[in-house]
């Protein structure tokens, strides 16, 4: 029975971590000086489009691991805010292609720098874990996603 209690404690801890992560991603931030607040997911879409652009909504959805509808909603918001342009593909008029504006390219570069700085801070916080232990944590997270996907 002790293992079941440990599993219960582990799952509760996972839930609290997931809630903290969601709160982190859903809080608006001012990424660029003097610009309007953006949500992390919006900034990540800008980075996924990248300065080269030319990606379809389907390609972006696949790259980000979210639905095409969610990508379309994010793209519409970013277009209204002046970071992104959507246009019909020259090859297939049924597809919509995303490209960044100059403002979007600046945000992309700034957010990539922000990510590097954030990853360095997380690395310092996890300095007690070896690369092998971090690899095990990655495997654990993949297993948890698999478990919860099966429970749906």
């Amino acid at each position: 029975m002790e293992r079941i209690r440990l599993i219960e404690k582990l799952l509760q801890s996972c839930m609290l971590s997931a809630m903290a992560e969601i709160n982190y991603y859903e809080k608006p931030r001012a990424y660029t000086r003097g610009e309007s607040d953006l949500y992390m997911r919006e900034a990540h879409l800008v980075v996924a489009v990248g300065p080269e652009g030319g990606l379809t909504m389907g390609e972006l959805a696949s790259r980000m691991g979210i639905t095409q509808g969610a990508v379309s909603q994010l793209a519409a918001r970013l277009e209204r805010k002046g970071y992104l342009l959507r246009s019909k593909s020259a090859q297939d008029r049924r597809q919509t292609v995303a490209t960044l504006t100059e403002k979007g390219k600046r945000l992309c570069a700034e957010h990539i720098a922000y990510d590097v700085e954030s990853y360095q801070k997380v690395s310092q916080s996890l300095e007690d874990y070896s690369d092998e232990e971090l690899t095990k944590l990655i495997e654990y997270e993949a297993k948890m996603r698999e478990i919860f996907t099966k429970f749906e």
Side-chain angles (χ1 to χ4, degrees):
M1 196 55 140
E2 182 60 31
R3 182 162 176 90
I4 298 301
R5 291 194 204 300
L6 281 173
I7 295 297
E8 178 184 12
K9 216 172 176 178
L10 175 64
L11 291 177
Q12 287 173 343
S13 181
C14 287
M15 180 186 63
L16 293 172
S17 294
M19 290 170 56
E21 187 175 357
I22 288 167
N23 288 336
Y24 173 78
Y25 283 115
E26 290 184 350
K27 184 171 54 170
R29 292 172 174 73
Y31 286 102
T32 56
R33 291 171 295 282
E35 296 292 336
S36 61
D37 288 347
L38 291 173
Y39 292 91
M40 182 80 69
R41 190 166 269 206
E42 292 172 326
H44 286 174
L45 178 67
V46 167
V47 170
V49 172
E52 69 282 350
L55 295 173
T56 67
M57 296 297 114
E59 290 168 330
L60 287 168
S62 177
R63 190 176 277 193
M64 294 182 70
I66 60 177
T67 67
Q68 198 165 331
V71 166
S72 293
Q73 288 178 358
L74 286 169
R77 279 200 310 250
L78 287 165
E79 191 169 36
R80 283 191 301 274
K81 293 178 180 183
Y83 293 97
L84 182 100
L85 293 173
R86 295 179 295 166
S87 59
K88 292 294 179 188
S89 168
Q91 291 79 27
D92 184 348
R93 303 289 297 158
R94 296 171 296 173
Q95 292 186 327
T96 301
V97 175
T99 55
L100 297 180
T101 63
E102 287 306 313
K103 181 178 174 180
K105 289 176 183 177
R106 283 192 306 275
L107 171 63
C108 183
E110 288 183 28
H111 190 73
I112 288 170
Y114 171 88
D115 276 347
V116 168
E117 184 180 320
S118 296
Y119 297 153
Q120 289 171 340
K121 288 177 183 176
V122 171
S123 178
Q124 290 170 352
S125 294
L126 298 175
E127 67 187 358
D128 292 344
Y129 293 85
S130 69
D131 289 353
E132 293 79 20
E133 289 170 318
L134 291 174
T135 299
K136 277 304 229 189
L137 287 171
I138 293 166
E139 292 168 3
Y140 161 80
E141 288 293 330
K143 186 60 151 178
M144 292 307 287
R145 282 190 304 277
E146 178 186 324
I147 288 168
F148 285 111
T149 302
K150 285 181 183 176
F151 285 161
E152 288 185 332

